[in-house]
Amino acid sequence: MQKDTIKIGISACLAGEKVRFDSGHKKSNFCMEELAKHVEYKMYCPEVAVGLPIPRPTIRQVRTADTIKVCRPDGTGDVGPQLTEYGKKIATEQAGHLSGFVFCAKSPSCGMERVKIYNEAGTGNTSEGIGFFAEQIMKHNPLLPCEENGRLNDVHLRENFVMRVYTLHNWQQLVKEPVTVHRLTQFHAQYKYLLMAHNYQAYRDLGNLLGTFVGDDVNALADEYILGLMNALRRPASRKNNSNTLMHLQGYFKRDLSKIEKEEMRDAIDEYRQGLVPLYVPLTLLKHHLKVHPNEYLSKQIYFNPYPNELKLRYGL
């Protein structure tokens, strides 16, 4: 079955659209110059969508008693309810169609976290808010990988976001056809070492979940599995966990490699563990041995190629 194009939601200003309050944009070079070669974007500007003009007065979150408004600095023009409803609408319409979302940081509509909430007098604020639109997208799509433009400058968070996008997309392709325990087990087998690198306990728990399943409600099993998988992958893999995973993978070649080749492999993993070389160095060596000594099980491991190599995401890890 041919895979569909990966679709990612994005704040329109990050795509270069001049929709900000000042008629400007905040184009993300990574999203639009690099990742755009591999995905298709669906652009959203919730503020324009609820009727605000371009240009427009700035809006911000303001706490009034027990409620939070999204309004002008003088307290007028609250569009909080409209932003919430628009967020619910898009979240419902795009459920299962989007494989990720990139939000504009600090925005009262699109910020994922640390959005400023001002007091009524405008004399102080706290950075504890969530954008009204972003909150609905995340609330109604708990599996959806979401990230902010600023955080994507961090090489570990960038790699982790893209990896989760591709993981969810692979899952979305799987569930287009009726799910069976066998198909779930095959899917899990491909993710074994990626899971091991991110969360060893989840790797064991999810394997046990599938291996001990008894009953007829396979769809409920699938829902529990993918929620566990996506949650387990949220934290970037540590050098220690990656190193342990690489050692496990090296074990498959113990009968094929010469003494010198084994030492070379161990040295590459140790140098990565110590932070002397990036992850792609021992990975490249392992891929070389896999080509020379083919192994059908290993060749299917997502850990080796979780996303297109052209993105060069592991060069800085």
Side-chain angles (χ1 to χ4, degrees), residues 42-146:
K42 294 187 71 68
M43 296 176 285
Y44 301 95
C45 179
E47 294 172 21
V48 171
V50 301
L52 297 182
I54 306 169
R56 56 186 176 272
T58 60
I59 57 174
R60 62 191 187 184
Q61 294 190 11
V62 177
R63 189 184 303 278
T64 304
D66 294 330
T67 62
I68 298 175
K69 301 191 297 184
V70 183
C71 57
R72 302 186 186 100
D74 63 6
T76 62
D78 181 20
V79 292
Q82 294 96 313
L83 290 171
T84 296
E85 285 306 309
Y86 180 64
K88 288 180 181 177
K89 176 177 179 288
I90 298 303
T92 302
E93 287 180 355
Q94 296 302 323
H97 299 294
L98 296 179
S99 301
F101 212 113
V102 183
F103 294 107
C104 182
K106 302 180 181 179
S107 162
S109 58
C110 288
M112 280 178 59
E113 58 184 11
R114 298 188 302 278
V115 174
K116 288 184 178 181
I117 303 178
Y118 292 81
N119 60 31
E120 280 192 273
T123 55
N125 61 74
T126 58
S127 298
E128 58 181 348
I130 302 174
F132 276 39
F133 172 75
E135 183 175 24
Q136 296 304 315
I137 299 296
M138 295 186 291
K139 176 182 177 181
H140 292 280
N141 296 279
L143 299 179
L144 192 68
C146 295

Side-chain angles (χ1 to χ4, degrees), residues 259-300:
K259 182 179 179 180
I260 293 177
E261 288 174 324
K262 290 178 183 177
E263 290 177 354
E264 181 185 37
M265 190 71 250
R266 282 196 297 269
D267 288 346
I269 295 174
D270 285 340
E271 288 178 350
Y272 163 71
R273 190 195 302 268
Q274 297 172 48
L276 301 177
V277 299
L279 179 60
Y280 81 88
V281 172
L283 262 180
T284 299
L285 195 53
L286 272 173
K287 288 181 182 180
H288 164 72
H289 292 313
L290 184 55
K291 283 184 178 180
V292 177
H293 309 286
N295 180 299
E296 184 178 0
Y297 177 69
L298 285 191
S299 67
K300 295 179 180 179

Side-chain angles (χ1 to χ4, degrees), residues 14-230:
L14 301 181
E17 297 292 306
K18 297 180 179 180
V19 294
R20 285 176 57 78
F21 72 96
D22 58 359
S23 301
H25 63 79
K26 298 189 72 174
K27 182 179 178 181
S28 165
N29 288 331
F30 169 70
C31 289
M32 303 315 296
E33 305 299 334
E34 299 178 50
L35 190 56
K37 297 174 184 177
H38 306 278
V39 306
E40 175 184 314
Y41 288 111
K42 294 187 71 68
M43 296 176 285
Y44 301 95
C45 179
E47 294 172 21
V48 171
V50 301
L52 297 182
I54 306 169
R56 56 186 176 272
T58 60
I59 57 174
R60 62 191 187 184
Q61 294 190 11
V62 177
R63 189 184 303 278
T64 304
D66 294 330
T67 62
I68 298 175
K69 301 191 297 184
V70 183
C71 57
R72 302 186 186 100
D74 63 6
T76 62
D78 181 20
V79 292
Q82 294 96 313
L83 290 171
T84 296
E85 285 306 309
Y86 180 64
K88 288 180 181 177
K89 176 177 179 288
I90 298 303
T92 302
E93 287 180 355
Q94 296 302 323
H97 299 294
L98 296 179
S99 301
F101 212 113
V102 183
F103 294 107
C104 182
K106 302 180 181 179
S107 162
S109 58
C110 288
M112 280 178 59
E113 58 184 11
R114 298 188 302 278
V115 174
K116 288 184 178 181
I117 303 178
Y118 292 81
N119 60 31
E120 280 192 273
T123 55
N125 61 74
T126 58
S127 298
E128 58 181 348
I130 302 174
F132 276 39
F133 172 75
E135 183 175 24
Q136 296 304 315
I137 299 296
M138 295 186 291
K139 176 182 177 181
H140 292 280
N141 296 279
L143 299 179
L144 192 68
C146 295
E147 199 47 274
E148 291 182 330
N149 55 316
R151 285 167 52 92
L152 287 177
N153 292 324
D154 182 295
V155 294
H156 294 89
L157 297 179
R158 177 188 297 188
E159 187 274 342
N160 183 260
F161 171 70
V162 175
M163 176 273 295
R164 288 185 291 128
V165 165
Y166 273 82
T167 296
L168 182 58
H169 180 68
N170 289 341
W171 176 260
Q172 290 166 335
Q173 300 303 298
L174 178 79
V175 298
K176 282 186 173 183
E177 298 179 2
V179 177
T180 64
V181 175
H182 176 67
R183 294 183 70 225
L184 287 175
T185 302
Q186 285 186 316
F187 182 88
H188 177 69
Q190 293 178 304
Y191 276 89
K192 174 179 177 179
Y193 286 105
L194 188 65
L195 252 178
M196 182 181 289
H198 284 264
N199 189 318
Y200 186 78
Q201 187 59 49
Y203 149 71
R204 296 188 63 179
D205 291 344
L206 290 174
N208 186 59
L209 174 70
L210 298 179
T212 60
F213 174 72
V214 177
D216 300 320
D217 198 345
V218 180
N219 289 330
L221 173 67
D223 290 343
E224 184 177 355
Y225 174 81
I226 189 56
L227 183 61
L229 177 65
M230 296 306 294

